[in-house]
Amino acid sequence: MAELLQQRFCNAGEWTSLRQQCACSLSSRWFHPFNVALKRRSQSSGILGVGHSQPRQSFELRAYAKRVSEVEVDKQARTAVVVGGGWAGFGAAHALTKLGFSVTVLDASPSPGGLSTGFRTAQGRPVEAGIKGFWWQYHNIYSLLKEVNVVWPFTDWTMSSFYSPEGIQVEAPVFNELPRLPTPLGSFLYTSPYFRNLSVVDRLTALPLIQALLEFDADEETYAKYDAMTARELFRKAGVSAKLYRDFLQPILLVTLFAPGEQLSAAAALGALYYYVLAHQADFDVCWCKGSVAEAIFKPWLDTLNSQGCRMLGNNRVVDVIYEEESNKITGIIAMDGSGERTVYEADVVVFAVGVQAMQRIVASSPALAGREEFAGISNLGTVDVLATRLWLDRRVPLKNPSNVLAGFEPTTGATLFNLNALQGEFADEPGSVLELDFYHANQLLPLSDDAVIQKVMKDYLTRCEPRFAGAQVVDSSVLRFKNAVTLFGPGSHQHMPSTTTSFQNVFMSGDWLRQGPGAHGARGLSQEKAFVTGLIAANAAAASVGLQAQVEILAVDEDEAHIAAGKAAVQGARRAALALGLTSPFL
């Protein structure tokens, strides 16, 4: 990968982008121009800076099974209970620990780590709950990895192919290696040579969407109007060609928001398109973990949390809360372990960091939560099924690019295809291809048997992408089903999504399904960065609720380019002027 030299600026001052160091060898340590120690800044800023942690101890990624009484707890420290152990939960625990809380993380899984938890096949081969990319704007995750002394775990930025049943439709280049042009001009020009069947005329039909992108999150009222319509309806009204929608926009939505355009909120779709594709030329650039995320990232992260006194308790499913009416606080979390025994975990602050389905179950079993409007509304949110498959073949079958998007093979279902021989070092010397195919909005696939799924993958997907797969035999495979795994950002869902704060004085929310829109952090959609950032935001809000001035640092997304910022200002100015004159539309 070409070495990048540009300097980047974050809200904490001048930093050299951690993402530019992906060419570092796996054995090297991260370089940073500032050797910043973990410290508290002056009271005027109250920010906890990023720095090196203490040396890590050897620790297996596993759940504790100790009782509260068996663990020493600092009685002088404020206690925090985090419910959920994925990116949001670990993020909240990480920040709360830095802010001086005594933190306990409760997770229903035996091995906390959310959907980043790894598995093994019966033959001992490693399997993950899907392969997830790390995008150009994941500032906070990249910063975290340096802080916890994780050696750069990612590949170089990769090109990607978009497949339909007719073959490759377009490839996405590595944009940060190309001269930077104003957005969206750079994306338009640099992808032009890679489109196989989509004409310039078709691509130009996306231009009317620019107005929607400039105004959709101008204010809550505007965002709600876009949220009430489907993405497909928006594209149709804007005059987007059917071919552009089918060959490009629909695949993008299927692999970023995990559902087809007719089932997605237009506001959520615009947010995802802007965050991943259009805000800046390099935003669509993505790299991949060289091994499992559980082992490469969550395990050393857990080491750090453990060394700092955070307790990670797996096999603990939250079944109720203890509510104190006088203070309007949740003072305890009741969890049930694998044996059915219940334990009360006292808390000064509580952060919920589970997915939609788990939160719905918790609310249903807790009268105190169910009686609050914002928690009851969570029951109106939908979810999406995910299917993750991994195949070991008896021969190597080359793919043009290591990461690929597949759309049009099944109605309303999207998929990603990864050549793990090229992405993960442990498979580099395998004699046959090792492939990961992950399916989103996979409702119709989950009832199939494992054998039927693998046969479908080989016949209906792989051989249609590359005919040479027809002669290959499967020597080992894995099928993982995740019912109701991720949030459906459906039309009208915004009003039912929670914010960070709640009507309880000491309860806070985090997760990639939280409300987004005007005033929210720029990380959008079903992204690991959004989940992690919402954990940090929840921790800061929790600290403020008990009177602490200190806050952990949260890096913002890159600022809008000047012409985009000017366009947004013009649209918002026109809207304010119209409202001042009483010019409002009577139509929906």
Side-chain angles (χ1 to χ4, degrees):
M1 173 181 169
E3 188 171 344
L4 305 177
L5 300 177
Q6 69 183 50
Q7 295 291 315
R8 306 184 66 80
F9 293 84
C10 298
N11 58 349
E14 185 178 9
W15 289 67
T16 300
S17 174
L18 298 175
R19 297 165 301 175
Q20 298 168 2
Q21 301 163 38
C22 64
C24 296
S25 68
L26 188 62
S27 61
S28 65
R29 286 289 173 184
W30 294 44
F31 167 80
H32 196 280
F34 306 103
N35 184 17
V36 184
L38 180 59
K39 60 183 180 182
R40 180 170 303 191
R41 294 187 181 178
S42 65
Q43 284 189 326
S44 61
S45 65
I47 301 291
L48 291 179
V50 176
H52 297 285
S53 66
Q54 296 298 316
R56 290 175 282 142
Q57 302 171 2
S58 175
F59 186 77
E60 295 298 323
L61 183 57
R62 65 182 187 272
Y64 288 139
K66 297 179 180 178
R67 297 272 203 282
V68 174
S69 60
E70 296 178 297
V71 182
E72 293 184 6
V73 177
D74 184 355
K75 299 299 183 182
Q76 302 303 314
R78 294 179 174 88
T79 59
V81 173
V82 177
V83 181
W87 278 101
F90 272 51
H94 181 85
L96 288 166
T97 301
K98 290 173 66 173
L99 292 166
F101 285 82
S102 175
V103 181
T104 298
V105 178
L106 302 175
D107 195 271
S109 167
S111 299
L115 286 181
S116 291
T117 301
F119 305 89
R120 294 272 168 178
T121 68
Q123 299 183 35
R125 292 185 170 98
V127 178
E128 284 187 271
I131 300 293
K132 292 161 283 292
F134 291 80
W135 302 80
W136 180 258
Q137 290 243 46
Y138 277 21
H139 302 309
N140 291 280
I141 287 179
Y142 297 138
S143 180
L144 164 77
L145 299 183
K146 177 184 181 296
E147 183 182 346
V148 298
N149 289 332
V150 172
V151 179
W152 183 261
F154 303 121
T155 66
D156 288 350
W157 311 103
T158 64
M159 292 184 64
S160 300
S161 298
F162 285 65
Y163 281 90
S164 77
E166 289 74 43
I168 295 177
Q169 298 301 310
V170 65
E171 294 175 78
V174 178
F175 290 102
N176 71 71
E177 295 180 347
L178 301 169
R180 183 167 179 172
L181 297 174
T183 189
L185 181 60
S187 299
F188 182 84
L189 291 180
Y190 293 138
T191 55
S192 292
Y194 294 100
F195 277 99
R196 307 288 178 88
N197 300 305
L198 196 64
S199 70
V200 173
V201 173
D202 282 312
R203 281 177 273 149
L204 288 175
T205 63
L207 286 177
L209 290 174
I210 291 178
Q211 179 181 352
L213 285 163
L214 293 176
E215 71 177 9
F216 79 98
D217 63 351
D219 52 51
E220 279 292 338
E221 182 181 355
T222 306
Y223 193 91
K225 287 183 177 180
Y226 278 97
D227 185 62
M229 74 173 76
T230 69
R232 192 180 190 283
E233 179 185 4
L234 170 67
F235 297 150
R236 183 185 62 80
K237 289 183 175 180
V240 168
S241 76
K243 192 168 180 59
L244 175 64
Y245 177 74
R246 183 182 64 248
D247 292 350
F248 185 71
L249 292 174
Q250 178 87 312
I252 288 287
L253 295 177
L254 282 168
V255 299
T256 56
L257 292 176
F258 296 0
E262 63 269 23
Q263 297 185 29
L264 289 172
S265 150
L270 289 169
L273 288 172
Y274 190 70
Y275 177 58
Y276 285 110
V277 183
L278 297 173
H280 312 88
Q281 178 179 299
D283 284 350
F284 197 63
D285 288 346
V286 61
C287 58
W288 312 90
C289 193
K290 293 180 180 179
S292 75
V293 173
E295 294 180 3
I297 297 177
F298 273 78
K299 181 178 177 180
W301 193 5
L302 183 56
D303 286 350
T304 299
L305 290 172
N306 178 58
S307 69
Q308 295 171 348
C310 177
R311 295 182 298 146
M312 196 73 56
L313 306 182
N315 267 330
N316 272 267
R317 182 170 60 87
V318 172
V319 293
D320 204 348
V321 301
I322 297 176
Y323 173 54
E324 184 181 86
E325 186 174 2
E326 182 177 356
S327 64
N328 188 34
K329 291 181 179 180
I330 299 299
T331 59
I333 297 294
I334 304 174
M336 183 170 64
D337 64 19
S339 68
E341 184 171 356
R342 300 189 175 202
T343 304
V344 175
Y345 297 89
E346 296 181 353
D348 294 312
V349 298
V350 175
V351 176
F352 285 107
V354 295
V356 168
Q357 184 188 37
M359 196 67 228
Q360 290 171 341
R361 285 198 297 261
I362 293 172
V363 171
S365 65
S366 172
L369 297 178
R372 299 296 175 101
E373 182 178 353
E374 72 268 39
F375 287 96
I378 294 172
S379 297
N380 291 307
L381 297 176
T383 53
V384 174
D385 297 341
V386 177
L387 183 77
T389 68
R390 184 166 293 190
L391 291 79
W392 285 260
L393 305 183
D394 64 347
R395 68 195 67 181
R396 288 286 186 104
V397 179
L399 290 169
K400 186 172 179 58
N401 290 305
S403 58
N404 308 274
V405 175
L406 283 61
F409 294 79
E410 301 265 355
T412 73
T413 298
T416 48
L417 166 62
F418 301 98
N419 177 7
L420 298 186
N421 304 93
L423 294 177
Q424 299 191 355
E426 64 183 308
F427 302 121
D429 297 327
E430 287 276 350
S433 290
V434 182
L435 306 169
E436 175 90 14
L437 283 92
D438 299 328
F439 297 87
Y440 311 109
H441 203 266
N443 313 47
Q444 73 276 15
L445 300 179
L446 264 62
L448 300 179
S449 68
D450 288 1
D451 288 342
V453 168
I454 295 303
Q455 290 176 16
K456 190 175 193 59
V457 167
M458 290 296 297
K459 178 182 177 182
D460 295 344
Y461 283 84
L462 290 179
T463 56
R464 296 172 78 180
C465 292
E466 171 51 64
R468 283 178 288 183
F469 279 113
Q473 300 296 317
V474 178
V475 298
D476 196 5
S477 63
S478 170
V479 178
L480 299 176
R481 296 168 178 82
F482 300 96
K483 184 72 174 174
N484 304 319
V486 295
T487 309
L488 174 63
F489 283 79
S493 61
H494 178 69
Q495 62 187 313
H496 302 299
M497 290 178 171
S499 301
T500 301
T501 57
T502 71
S503 58
F504 296 102
Q505 185 176 332
N506 68 330
V507 176
F508 307 90
M509 305 296 294
S510 62
D512 60 10
W513 56 284
L514 259 62
R515 180 174 297 195
Q516 55 191 31
H521 188 277
R524 301 295 174 93
L526 296 168
S527 69
Q528 297 166 103
E529 177 78 354
K530 181 185 174 185
F532 176 54
V533 166
T534 59
L536 302 181
I537 294 172
N540 280 342
S545 74
V546 297
L548 295 181
Q549 294 184 1
Q551 300 275 277
V552 295
E553 183 180 39
I554 300 173
L555 305 180
V557 297
D558 296 344
E559 293 183 356
D560 288 329
E561 295 182 10
H563 62 291
I564 298 295
K568 287 185 175 181
V571 168
Q572 293 174 18
R575 176 172 173 76
R576 285 193 296 269
L579 291 175
L581 295 172
L583 302 177
T584 58
S585 172
F587 303 106
L588 285 174

